[in-house]
Amino acid sequence: MLCYVITRQTPHFSSLSALRFAAAVTVAFGHSIGYLNNLDHGLLYALGIPSLMVFFHVLSGFTLASIYAELSGKDQVFRFWMARIGRIWPVHVFVLALVIVCFPQHQASGHLWWWHLAAHFTLTQSWFPLWGSPSVFNGPSWTLSTEFGLYLLFPVLICRWRNIWRWALPMFFLIAWGATFWANILEHNPCKLLEGLHLGPLDFVYVHPIMRLFEFSVGMTLAIFWGRASERYRVGSFFGTALEICAVCFVLLTMIGSPVVVAALDAKFKLGKVWGLWLDLLLLPLGPFTCLIMIFSLGRGWVSRLMSASWLVFLGELSFTIYLVHTPLIWAMQSSPTTSSKLWIITAVFWISVFLLAHIIHVVWEQPWRRFFRNILSSTPHKTIPDQVFAHFPWKTRWKLPAVEFAVLTILISTVLWDKYFRLHLHILTETQATKITHRSLRGLRGLQFGDGFALEGILHQWTDSGLQLQLVWRSLKNQRLDYVIAVHCIDHDGKLLGGADYPQEMNRRPIASGDLWVDTVTLRKDQLKEATSIGLGMYRLGEDLIPIDRGTRDWRDRRLLIDIESQMSTPAKPVSAK
């Protein structure tokens, strides 16, 4: 028994599944910028990656309207909504639970925790984007909330869409334009009530379903024209391939070029942030993405045929889960500056883990729940539902591949977590290497003892175009845990603190043995040193005072070492390699 009334044969848009996969991977890459690599986080917006949300919403409207030409009657509408909930809600809840258990630092805090949890659990966080609700827990799930709102409207729209789209599309555009207009006014004239609710105009314009309704309805309208175009317009493979390549180029140029165009318009007409966001991330990409979906859905060229390969269609099936799990994996594998030389390893592990985890969840969790909802919608006897549910769970018949994948995933993630949280992140030196550095270090600043645990064996400096670089050679005087912070201060002639570059001894607070040597490299910028006459060095635990230093020029009750810049660091000395 079918769950829906389908009035015509369901089109099979295989190439669109591959496009959905490509879009999901691009979003995951965009979110990893600055966390798993050394790229500037601004590249996310320079490449126009946030505009890919337009593609997802147009594709959603197009797919649903292509499959469900009509939903009449309360029973069919209820079945549609239940099927949509079964499609997106189980995986969302699974990842939400994963974030709550494993990443407490990315959850909401304070008395609003229950509000945020309820909003995310019910997929309404983008309907009421209050107190930063869309960005807490698993941030990308706001798109599911927006989609869920559009799903609720779909049965109302589809029943007469072929007759009303001519006036409904302009009306939805005017609604989006009007909402942007008022959001722009509120951006320039803040309202105390909205400020108290932390309702930002930019967040509203980007995430609210009412702003995405126009894109969704464009996709529904595209389904009408697809039916006509697929029957009337037939082109050869050569011309179809050219159209597909042009459509891809059109999309890429728009994604990269729209920020430039909007910046130029803003400079001339003073658009402001709200209008700029609406034009850049919602309106300008709409045309190119609509053309891309239309051309690839026809399947006339070789590009769409190649993208219809079964393995790409399979990856398209995983795109939904990939989209949801990539952010928690970024958090798990987010590297620190001390591991920058191994970023390519972390990046490779990240992408392998994304695909493994997505496939495990797809097989073990997503597919059984989809079958569960399908069983509910296709049969009325409730007694058979529990048996059918447990009979379909894959660990009875298909547990081997997920088990192997889970083992590999555990090994990969454990390796990264060990490197990040447990490995000693220090540049350890031998006695020979330390001597090579310290014999050229500043005189009078060798072998200084900090408390009873550490000795500063030497300091080497070098003036660069960006500022002053220091190499500090340390020795541990006992077996201990590296849980101190090194204070590096820029001080003027009156003793005023102008800035600094404090850093933890070791990010993981790992233990170290007596006699071990290591070198720290610290850079002080020119703007920090502009009026500085000396540099102060100290060592302290968080919440405690600096520990005493045995000799040298000091202040703060002999707890901060003072290095005179003019007399002791006027002559540049190149740091010596510790190799």
Side-chain angles (χ1 to χ4, degrees):
M1 178 179 177
L2 293 177
C3 301
Y4 313 102
V5 174
I6 303 176
T7 59
R8 65 175 182 272
Q9 184 179 3
T10 301
H12 185 63
F13 303 131
S14 300
S15 60
L16 297 183
S17 294
L19 286 178
R20 190 190 310 115
F21 165 74
V25 169
T26 303
V27 171
F29 166 75
H31 289 165
S32 71
I33 291 176
Y35 298 101
L36 300 182
N37 47 53
N38 289 322
L39 300 175
D40 185 357
H41 189 68
L43 189 62
L44 170 69
Y45 298 94
L47 295 177
I49 293 176
S51 65
L52 284 170
M53 298 302 106
V54 175
F55 168 78
F56 288 120
H57 292 126
V58 174
L59 181 61
S60 179
F62 173 70
T63 304
L64 291 179
S66 299
I67 297 175
Y68 312 118
E70 180 182 355
L71 289 173
S72 59
K74 295 181 181 180
D75 182 64
Q76 293 177 9
V77 172
F78 173 76
R79 289 173 180 274
F80 170 80
W81 285 337
M82 287 297 294
R84 291 294 93 197
I85 292 174
R87 176 68 180 91
I88 65 175
W89 189 76
V91 179
H92 162 68
V93 171
F94 180 88
V95 180
L96 177 62
L98 180 68
V99 171
I100 292 174
V101 173
C102 300
F103 303 98
Q105 69 274 26
H106 293 283
Q107 300 176 27
S109 58
H111 65 283
L112 294 174
W113 188 85
W114 289 106
W115 159 267
H116 292 301
L117 179 61
H120 278 257
F121 185 78
T122 58
L123 281 175
T124 56
Q125 66 267 35
S126 70
W127 304 6
F128 312 103
L130 309 176
W131 300 294
S133 183
S135 60
V136 298
F137 295 111
N138 189 22
S141 65
W142 73 262
T143 56
L144 305 186
S145 174
T146 303
E147 286 280 348
F148 185 45
L150 298 174
Y151 292 158
L152 294 179
L153 294 174
F154 178 76
V156 180
L157 298 175
I158 196 60
C159 63
R160 294 182 57 82
W161 187 249
R162 289 178 176 272
N163 299 323
I164 67 173
W165 71 267
R166 292 176 178 81
W167 60 265
L169 271 184
M171 183 183 71
F172 293 154
F173 172 80
L174 290 176
I175 290 174
W177 183 90
T180 307
F181 176 80
W182 284 107
N184 183 64
I185 292 177
L186 293 174
E187 175 73 14
H188 293 87
N189 302 278
C191 172
K192 291 185 178 180
L193 175 61
L194 297 183
E195 287 183 346
L197 297 174
H198 290 232
L199 177 58
L202 291 172
D203 293 335
F204 175 84
V205 170
Y206 188 67
V207 307
H208 202 276
I210 199 68
M211 299 300 301
R212 300 290 181 170
L213 179 58
F214 179 57
E215 304 161 8
F216 186 77
S217 61
V218 167
M220 293 177 60
T221 307
L222 185 64
I224 299 175
F225 289 95
W226 178 89
R228 300 173 183 175
S230 61
E231 297 174 358
R232 298 181 183 180
Y233 303 104
R234 298 186 177 276
V235 297
S237 298
F238 178 80
F239 187 66
T241 303
L243 285 177
E244 291 168 355
I245 294 175
C246 289
V248 173
C249 293
F250 188 25
V251 166
L252 295 177
L253 288 175
T254 303
M255 290 175 62
I256 298 173
S258 59
V260 179
V261 172
V262 171
L265 292 174
D266 183 43
K268 186 172 183 179
F269 299 105
K270 307 298 181 184
L271 297 176
K273 294 182 180 179
V274 175
W275 284 111
L277 182 143
W278 185 59
L279 289 173
D280 182 14
L281 301 182
L282 280 81
L283 188 61
L284 292 181
L286 181 58
F289 282 126
T290 302
C291 292
L292 180 74
I293 293 171
M294 181 67 172
I295 292 173
F296 272 78
S297 64
L298 295 174
R300 300 288 191 259
W302 283 108
V303 179
S304 61
R305 294 174 187 174
L306 290 175
M307 295 179 67
S308 298
S310 57
W311 65 276
L312 285 174
V313 175
F314 171 72
L315 291 177
E317 286 292 315
L318 294 182
S319 60
F320 172 67
T321 313
I322 289 172
Y323 179 79
L324 284 182
V325 303
H326 75 270
T327 299
L329 284 175
I330 289 175
W331 296 336
M333 300 185 185
Q334 181 178 345
S335 61
S336 66
T338 56
T339 59
S340 58
S341 61
K342 297 183 178 180
L343 286 180
W344 67 272
I345 299 178
I346 296 176
T347 302
V349 172
F350 165 73
W351 286 110
I352 295 173
S353 300
V354 164
F355 289 109
L356 288 177
L357 183 58
H359 185 254
I360 292 171
I361 295 175
H362 178 74
V363 173
V364 175
W365 186 260
E366 183 180 2
Q367 286 185 341
W369 278 107
R370 290 173 68 176
R371 285 192 289 267
F372 170 64
F373 277 88
R374 191 179 301 122
N375 290 336
I376 292 179
L377 298 176
S378 62
S379 59
T380 54
H382 297 283
K383 294 181 179 180
T384 60
I385 291 176
D387 295 333
Q388 292 175 359
V389 173
F390 290 107
H392 284 303
F393 274 92
W395 52 70
K396 281 193 172 184
T397 56
R398 293 179 292 168
W399 58 270
K400 293 184 180 180
L401 179 59
V404 172
E405 290 177 328
F406 183 77
V408 174
L409 179 66
T410 302
I411 293 172
L412 291 175
I413 295 181
S414 298
T415 302
V416 173
L417 294 182
W418 173 267
D419 183 78
K420 180 180 177 181
Y421 295 108
F422 301 102
R423 188 178 65 85
L424 184 65
H425 291 282
L426 287 180
H427 189 172
I428 301 296
L429 303 176
T430 64
E431 289 285 352
T432 303
Q433 291 172 331
T435 302
K436 185 178 179 181
I437 296 177
T438 57
H439 87 279
R440 294 187 58 196
S441 65
L442 299 172
R443 296 184 179 276
L445 298 175
R446 302 175 185 176
L448 304 178
Q449 187 167 330
F450 286 65
D452 62 352
F454 301 96
L456 180 61
E457 296 294 339
I459 303 175
L460 203 63
H461 73 284
Q462 179 189 24
W463 291 96
T464 65
D465 293 337
S466 59
L468 177 64
Q469 184 183 88
L470 302 176
Q471 281 186 318
L472 311 177
V473 180
W474 297 94
R475 183 192 295 273
S476 176
L477 302 179
K478 60 182 180 180
N479 297 332
Q480 58 188 315
R481 188 175 297 276
L482 297 178
D483 54 0
Y484 284 88
V485 177
I486 307 300
V488 184
H489 297 164
C490 298
I491 309 166
D492 66 7
H493 66 282
D494 295 324
K496 180 181 178 182
L497 181 62
L498 303 176
D502 292 12
Y503 65 92
Q505 274 186 314
E506 212 284 321
M507 60 175 295
N508 294 327
R509 301 182 179 184
R510 302 301 298 159
I512 199 167
S514 176
D516 283 351
L517 290 153
W518 69 94
V519 60
D520 295 337
T521 301
V522 186
T523 300
L524 297 172
R525 303 188 310 272
K526 282 187 175 180
D527 61 311
Q528 295 176 306
L529 298 166
K530 187 176 181 180
E531 299 179 3
T533 59
S534 60
I535 295 173
L537 292 178
M539 184 180 293
Y540 64 94
R541 283 194 178 103
L542 292 177
E544 300 181 7
D545 198 3
L546 294 169
I547 61 176
I549 306 171
D550 65 340
R551 56 189 174 86
T553 305
R554 295 155 292 171
D555 65 355
W556 288 3
R557 296 179 290 115
D558 295 338
R559 294 173 184 269
R560 185 171 67 173
L561 178 69
L562 298 178
I563 307 171
D564 186 83
I565 295 177
E566 184 176 355
S567 62
Q568 295 180 280
M569 294 187 175
S570 58
T571 303
K574 294 183 178 181
V576 178
S577 173
K579 294 182 179 180

